Amino acid sequence: MIRIVFLISSLQRGGAEKQLTLLVRGLDHAKFHCSVVTTYDGGELAHELDDLENVEVLSLGKGGRSDSVRALIQLVRLIRSLKPDIVHGYLDSSNVLALVVGKPLRTQVVWGVRASSLDSIQLDFASRCYRRLGALLSSQVDLVIANSRAGRTYVTSLGYPPERVITIPNGFEVDRFAPDPLARLRARSTWGIGADDVVVGLVARLDPIKDHPTFLRAAALLLQRMPGITFVCVGGGGSSQYEHELKELARDLAIDERVIWAGETTDMQAAHNALDVASLVSTSEGFANAVGEAMACGVPCVVTDVGDSAEIVGDTGIVIPRGDPNALCDAWYTMLTYSSDERTAMGIKARRRIQEHFSVAALAENTSRALMALVHDS
């Protein structure tokens, strides 16, 4: 049996954290013993790993920065006791830790990177330091797994050795994210939207990189051509100042009565199902989970040509340049002038693409193959 230690800061709800829990659940537990070690206590996603054979979740219980030395010493002792074949980091800081504790113990070290061409100036100081340190240390790592082709291109441009970087895309829960008329009505009722209203949505945290201003400006343009459309922004997490600026922009564009700010939700399957057209307007992206989830729910997507978004959508949606409200408006208009049957057929095609190329089973199979080859070749 191959023993793996996965290192990650926490199992709070997030894209990387969710993908890690899906991977651990999907691996063959007769072949892999998985210890998921978090730097900080807590995290609601930890419960998704409860009661799995050969899976354990452990925490270093780190406090503030003053607790770093104690936590590092505890991590070294823990890794020694677990005697893993592989130490697998997730995200920049945990990747560095995986190398620091793994190499002296002669284990195989794997890094999981989810970076894209995001300008480092948008990262805080600590994150920039870890990003730079990762580039300097990457030659000492046995394998780097990027979750997107764009991410692979980005990290190799930073100096990561190309021969050690592979791409394994995210996986989606196609049983959970599926067309569901009742879930559609549930979300629409919560938002105060009628069953037959036409709804265009953006599922994204309130962050400048998600480019809500372009979404709002395109909405204003589309409403001049199709006055009855409702626009929904699902997601939170941004600063109150930025949220205020976005709502002020909607008022300035005279569309505030047609825009619903739905905020965060734990019922993402219902949120995606409630849309007639889903949107991604990010200016930078690696692998967009929101796009894959919407497609799995049978919702056609309009996406900007960033990261692997065009690869995810394929021929099941429309790809446009980033930062172009006119192109976004035209794409929405094209999709909304399709007949209901045509949009349904497009949604069915989108779901099939996720099932065939981006399922959790594919994520687990591809990762399993890479990790087993790493151990057997060492």
Side-chain angles (χ1 to χ4, degrees):
M1 179 175 290
I2 297 174
R3 301 182 67 87
I4 308 175
V5 169
F6 292 97
L7 290 182
I8 194 165
S9 292
S10 76
L11 286 176
Q12 299 291 348
R13 198 167 291 279
E17 294 80 1
K18 181 63 179 178
Q19 287 297 309
L20 173 56
T21 60
L22 290 175
L23 171 61
V24 172
R25 290 186 64 86
L27 288 173
D28 185 343
H29 300 138
K31 296 179 180 178
F32 294 95
H33 182 285
C34 300
S35 299
V36 180
V37 178
T38 64
T39 306
Y40 299 95
D41 278 335
E44 55 207 284
L45 291 177
H47 298 299
E48 298 193 7
L49 301 178
D50 289 344
D51 302 322
L52 293 177
E53 184 181 5
N54 290 324
V55 174
E56 58 186 341
V57 178
L58 307 167
S59 176
L60 302 178
K62 182 183 174 184
R65 290 184 180 179
S66 61
D67 197 29
S68 297
V69 174
R70 181 207 61 80
L72 179 59
I73 293 172
Q74 182 180 348
L75 176 61
V76 171
R77 291 173 177 168
L78 179 60
I79 298 300
R80 283 176 177 167
S81 69
L82 292 172
K83 298 179 180 179
D85 300 291
I86 298 171
V87 179
H88 189 331
Y90 256 66
L91 304 177
D92 293 335
S93 61
S94 297
N95 286 339
V96 172
L97 275 178
L99 184 65
V100 169
V101 301
K103 272 301 175 183
L105 299 178
R106 301 183 181 278
T107 67
Q108 300 293 304
V109 177
V110 178
W111 282 3
V113 298
R114 315 182 81 77
S116 64
S117 57
L118 175 62
D119 191 339
S120 62
I121 198 172
Q122 295 179 288
L123 302 173
D124 60 29
F125 176 74
S127 298
R128 291 200 300 273
C129 289
Y130 278 118
R131 182 70 56 88
R132 178 59 180 160
L133 195 56
L136 293 172
L137 297 175
S138 59
S139 62
Q140 305 301 311
V141 179
D142 298 291
L143 179 67
V144 178
I145 300 177
N147 73 327
S148 66
R149 294 181 183 178
R152 183 185 187 280
T153 299
Y154 175 61
V155 296
T156 54
S157 75
L158 295 178
Y160 284 54
E163 68 277 7
R164 297 187 188 182
V165 185
I166 65 173
T167 302
I168 298 178
N170 288 357
F172 297 97
E173 301 167 278
V174 293
D175 292 333
R176 175 188 173 201
F177 291 99
D180 187 335
L182 292 179
R184 174 183 174 89
L185 292 176
R186 182 168 68 245
R188 286 183 168 227
S189 176
T190 299
W191 300 339
I193 298 173
D196 298 323
D197 290 353
V198 178
V199 180
V200 174
L202 173 60
V203 177
R205 68 183 185 276
L206 299 181
D207 185 295
I209 201 171
K210 300 300 183 180
D211 200 7
H212 287 75
T214 289
F215 179 86
L216 295 173
R217 293 187 178 101
L221 293 172
L222 185 62
L223 285 168
Q224 295 175 14
R225 301 161 73 175
M226 305 178 79
I229 307 298
T230 298
F231 297 87
V232 179
C233 295
V234 181
S239 69
S240 57
Q241 176 61 30
Y242 186 59
E243 183 176 354
H244 173 76
E245 291 172 2
L246 292 176
K247 291 180 178 179
E248 189 67 27
L249 175 59
R251 283 191 290 270
D252 291 343
L253 293 168
I255 62 170
D256 51 305
E257 293 186 357
R258 304 303 308 173
V259 178
I260 294 172
W261 301 93
E264 296 186 34
T265 178
T266 57
D267 196 356
M268 291 306 305
Q269 188 246 2
H272 289 300
N273 267 282
L275 308 179
D276 293 298
V277 178
S279 313
L280 178 126
V281 292
S282 300
T283 57
S284 180
E285 196 76 55
F287 193 99
N289 287 331
V291 173
E293 290 172 359
M295 291 171 63
C297 291
V299 180
C301 297
V302 175
V303 302
T304 45
D305 192 9
V306 294
D308 280 17
S309 299
E311 171 68 17
I312 300 170
V313 169
D315 62 353
T316 72
I318 300 176
V319 181
I320 60 168
R322 62 185 177 182
D324 189 337
N326 288 289
L328 182 56
C329 172
D330 289 343
W332 284 339
Y333 184 79
T334 296
M335 199 164 278
L336 292 174
T337 51
Y338 292 152
S339 70
S340 177
D341 288 345
E342 287 173 323
R343 275 207 309 277
T344 297
M346 184 177 289
I348 292 172
K349 190 176 181 181
R351 174 169 170 77
R352 187 179 302 120
R353 181 169 178 81
I354 297 300
Q355 290 173 310
E356 293 176 355
H357 299 285
F358 304 107
S359 66
V360 173
L363 167 68
E365 180 181 351
N366 292 332
T367 305
S368 175
R369 187 182 303 116
L371 297 181
M372 292 181 72
L374 185 65
V375 171
H376 294 154
D377 293 344
S378 63

